[in-house]
Amino acid sequence: KGTADMNLLRLFTPKVRAGSGVAQVDIRITDQWENPNIQGVLSMKSGLLSLTNFSDPILISALSLVFNRNLLILETVSGKMGRGQFVGFGKAALKGVDLTSFGFQFDLKEMPIRLTPDVETIMEGSLFFQGDKTAQLLDGSLHVKKALYEKRIDLREIIVKWQESPEERLPID
């Protein structure tokens, strides 16, 4: 039982550039090291994460995680990124401390998403992110509320390019 600084996340993944904010932690870990029994809760009311994939930091207004042995439940996460807002929930299956499978839903409002270096959009909608260690899927429905572009674009050309190079899809920043 105690607190943990968000900057500790840098130790677990190189995708976190920096973190700030303090999480309240009430977690008990028992059993064997190879397959621990993790029980408890982690909550936060205000935090900030800077990730390598995003130019804007993520402001976390509320976060509630529940650990129940082989299950991690994201009861809620809400916050802002740029001008946009998000709310999410979901769960993940655990084997020890490894995530084996997961499913999370995020509802977005006024979220800035850059489709190409020349096209920035403001979108709203819901995304469902699910998968396991070997494969992940991002699915959902986003509605473009506003599009800003610096030069004339051919939407058909952008879609064809995405189909040819899936790794270049949605370079969000």
Side-chain angles (χ1 to χ4, degrees):
K1 190 172 190 176
T3 61
D5 191 287
M6 288 287 288
N7 208 30
L8 288 173
L9 290 175
R10 291 177 38 202
L11 300 174
F12 298 103
T13 176
K15 301 229 180 241
V16 175
R17 275 191 296 233
S20 65
V22 177
Q24 301 299 314
V25 181
D26 187 0
I27 295 176
R28 189 175 65 180
I29 302 172
T30 59
D31 279 347
Q32 298 177 8
W33 183 256
E34 299 81 32
N35 190 23
N37 179 4
I38 305 172
Q39 301 280 337
V41 296
L42 181 146
S43 62
M44 179 188 303
K45 293 201 188 229
S46 180
L48 189 75
L49 276 180
S50 177
L51 303 176
T52 58
N53 294 358
F54 300 104
S55 58
D56 290 326
I58 300 170
L59 174 65
I60 298 171
S61 328
L63 171 70
S64 178
L65 291 171
V66 175
F67 296 86
N68 187 2
R69 185 158 183 97
N70 297 325
L71 190 62
L72 168 66
I73 300 167
L74 174 61
E75 288 185 328
T76 186
V77 61
S78 62
K80 294 182 177 185
M81 188 171 108
R83 298 177 302 269
Q85 300 174 21
F86 64 89
V87 175
F89 62 91
K91 62 183 177 179
L94 299 172
K95 183 172 184 177
V97 293
D98 291 330
L99 250 62
T100 57
S101 63
F102 61 88
F104 300 105
Q105 179 173 325
F106 294 95
D107 298 319
L108 310 177
K109 185 176 181 184
E110 300 286 327
M111 189 60 68
I113 298 176
R114 185 174 297 280
L115 295 177
T116 72
D118 300 317
V119 180
E120 182 178 334
T121 63
I122 304 297
M123 295 193 185
E124 292 190 353
S126 293
L127 293 174
F128 189 67
F129 185 45
Q130 65 182 345
D132 56 31
K133 286 183 175 183
T134 60
Q136 299 84 40
L137 173 68
L138 181 63
D139 194 15
S141 176
L142 292 175
H143 305 280
V144 177
K145 293 198 62 165
K146 187 187 294 184
L148 306 169
Y149 52 93
E150 297 175 10
K151 64 179 184 178
R152 187 169 176 81
I153 61 168
D154 182 349
L155 190 56
R156 184 180 315 144
E157 181 181 311
I158 292 172
I159 292 170
V160 168
K161 184 177 178 182
W162 283 350
Q163 289 173 339
E164 292 171 354
S165 317
E167 66 277 356
E168 292 183 18
R169 293 183 185 164
L170 289 181
I172 299 173
D173 64 339

